[in-house]
Amino acid sequence: MSLAETYSTDQLSLSFELFPPKTEAGEKALFRHVERLVEFKPAYITCTYGAGGSTQGKTLDIVARVRETSGLPVATHLTCVNRTADQLAQYLTEARARGVDNVVALRGDPPKGEDAFVATEGGFRYANELVGFIREQFADMGIAVAGYPEKHLEAPSMDVDLENLRRKVDAGADVVITQLFYENADFFAFRDRCTTLGINVPIVPGLLPVTNFAQIQRITSLCGAKLPQAFVDALQSAGDDEAAQFDTGVEFATRQMEDLAKAGVPGIHLYVLNKSEAASRVLENLGMGSKA
Ligand code: FAD
C-alpha cells in the first residue's frame, strides 16, 4: 500500500519511528521491541537518518530488516546534509532495490558545531528541492515531509513556515508528519491553517510518549516543543521515581492520543525511541491492541 493510500481509509493508521542503534547489542534489543510493536499492526515503520555520518549506512539496514522480518511497508528518512544529488540518488536506488518504497524527505539540521545549514555543492538547500528531485527521479516512491505545529526554530514566522511547508507539498509530498508536540490546540491550529492554505494531504501528528523527565527536557530544548505546565508539575511531583514518571507520561500520551483520534486525525506517528513499553501501554489503554 502506498503512503498516500495508507491514509485513505476511515481507520486511524499507526506508524512507528526508530533510529539506528549504535551497537550490536542495541540492534538486538531493537528487534525484540519491533516484534512487540508489530503486534499493533502499524501501517508502516520508519527509521531516522543520522546527521553525523556514522549511522547513515545503518538506516537502510534497519528498515530493510524490518521489512524482511515483518512484511510491513517501511520508510527511510533522508536528509540533504553533506550529500550531493548524485549521492542521494544512489542511496534511493539502493533503498528501492531493498524493498524500501517510502522516504521521509528532510533538509536536516546543521552538522554538530555549525550554526547554520549550508547546502553541499551539487546538493539541495531546502527539503522542497529534495522532494521535487525524488518525485522526478523516483516517481513511484511515497514521500512524507516534516511539519511544525509550533513553527520550525529557524522560521521567522508561522506564516513563512507554512508557505515553505506548502512548497514541499506542491513539490510532491504525499503526507506531512509533524514534529512532536504536547498541546493539541497547537496541532489543531496548525491543521486549520494548512487547510486554509490549500495543503490538503494527510497531516499526521507525531507523538513522543514521555518516559523520563530529564530526557524529555533535553529533547524539547533541542526541537523547541513546549511542555504544558500541568504536565511538568505532574512529572516533577513524581520526583526520582522512574516508574511514576513513566506512568505519568503514559497517562498524558493516552489522553493526548485519544483527543486527537476523536478529532479525526488520519493517523498517529509514534516516536518510540527504539522501545516498545510506553507505546504498548498507550495503545492498550486505547484498546488498540491485545496485551502481550
Ligand atoms: P525544510 O522544510 O527545508 O525547512 C527548514 C527551514 O527553512 C524552515 O525554517 C523553513 O521555513 C525554511 N524553508 C524551507 N523551504 C524554504 C525555501 N524554499 N525558501 C526559504 N526558506 C525555506 N533530522 C535528521 O537529521 N534526521 C532525521 O531522520 C530526521 N527525521 C525527522 C522526522 C520528522 C517527522 C521531523 C518533524 C523532523 C525530523 N528531523 C530529522 C529534523 C529535521 O531535519 C530538522 O527539523 C531540520 O532543521 C529541518 O528539516 P526540514 O526537512 O523540515 O527542512
Side-chain angles (χ1 to χ4, degrees):
M1 192 186 279
S2 73
L3 212 48
E5 284 164 355
T6 295
Y7 298 105
S8 62
T9 69
D10 286 347
Q11 284 201 336
L12 186 80
S13 292
L14 277 180
S15 51
F16 298 124
E17 178 174 315
L18 314 173
F19 62 84
K22 290 205 173 74
T23 63
E24 240 175 71
E27 192 167 329
K28 261 196 180 154
L30 170 63
F31 277 89
R32 281 197 301 275
H33 288 292
V34 167
E35 253 179 55
R36 173 72 181 118
L37 292 169
V38 164
E39 291 172 18
F40 293 96
K41 300 189 171 50
Y44 61 97
I45 292 180
T46 80
C47 183
T48 62
Y49 183 84
S54 64
T55 61
Q56 288 182 351
K58 274 259 155 210
T59 300
L60 262 192
D61 291 343
I62 297 294
V63 282
R65 191 170 152 196
V66 170
R67 170 126 188 89
E68 251 171 54
T69 53
S70 69
L72 286 169
V74 290
T76 174
H77 294 218
L78 183 61
T79 75
C80 308
V81 178
N82 288 335
R83 287 287 173 269
T84 63
D86 285 349
Q87 289 169 327
L88 292 163
Q90 257 174 33
Y91 182 92
L92 290 165
T93 303
E94 191 187 339
R96 217 168 39 180
R98 296 178 73 176
V100 180
D101 297 329
N102 304 296
V103 191
V104 182
L106 304 140
R107 183 200 70 178
D109 284 320
K112 248 195 189 127
E114 293 175 29
D115 297 336
F117 180 88
V118 179
T120 298
E121 210 182 316
F124 301 115
R125 273 175 315 168
Y126 296 110
N128 67 285
E129 297 173 0
L130 175 61
V131 172
F133 176 74
I134 300 172
R135 212 17 104 231
E136 202 182 291
Q137 307 277 326
F138 299 85
D140 50 345
M141 287 190 102
I143 306 175
V145 292
Y148 301 87
E150 297 176 74
K151 186 181 85 57
H152 184 257
L153 280 176
E154 292 166 30
S157 69
M158 196 66 179
D159 283 345
V160 170
D161 207 26
L162 285 166
E163 277 302 331
N164 290 326
L165 177 60
R166 186 160 73 172
R167 289 178 209 265
K168 297 195 271 197
V169 173
D170 289 348
D174 299 302
V175 177
V176 174
I177 299 175
T178 78
Q179 183 59 280
L180 57 96
F181 62 91
Y182 293 93
E183 294 271 16
N184 284 354
D186 291 334
F187 173 82
F188 296 136
F190 171 77
R191 186 179 66 170
D192 290 349
R193 292 178 74 172
C194 287
T195 306
T196 307
L197 275 175
I199 297 173
N200 49 20
V201 296
I203 301 192
V204 178
L207 301 189
L208 191 160
V210 172
T211 54
N212 175 288
F213 187 35
Q215 181 190 50
I216 196 59
Q217 281 180 304
R218 240 183 353 262
I219 294 175
T220 51
S221 73
L222 290 175
C223 71
K226 61 179 184 291
L227 289 165
Q229 192 54 46
F231 187 30
V232 170
D233 293 346
L235 286 164
Q236 271 172 339
S237 71
D240 293 335
D241 183 342
E242 289 187 3
Q245 288 182 21
F246 182 94
D247 289 347
T248 304
V250 162
E251 177 58 22
F252 186 91
T254 302
R255 296 302 143 234
Q256 187 179 15
M257 188 164 158
E258 186 177 38
D259 189 34
L260 289 164
K262 270 191 200 143
V265 297
I268 301 274
H269 184 72
L270 283 175
Y271 298 103
V272 296
L273 301 182
N274 287 6
K275 296 272 193 336
S276 55
E277 293 87 349
S280 301
R281 282 264 306 275
V282 170
L283 296 170
E284 281 165 4
N285 284 348
L286 294 168
M288 292 183 72
S290 56
K291 289 193 196 292

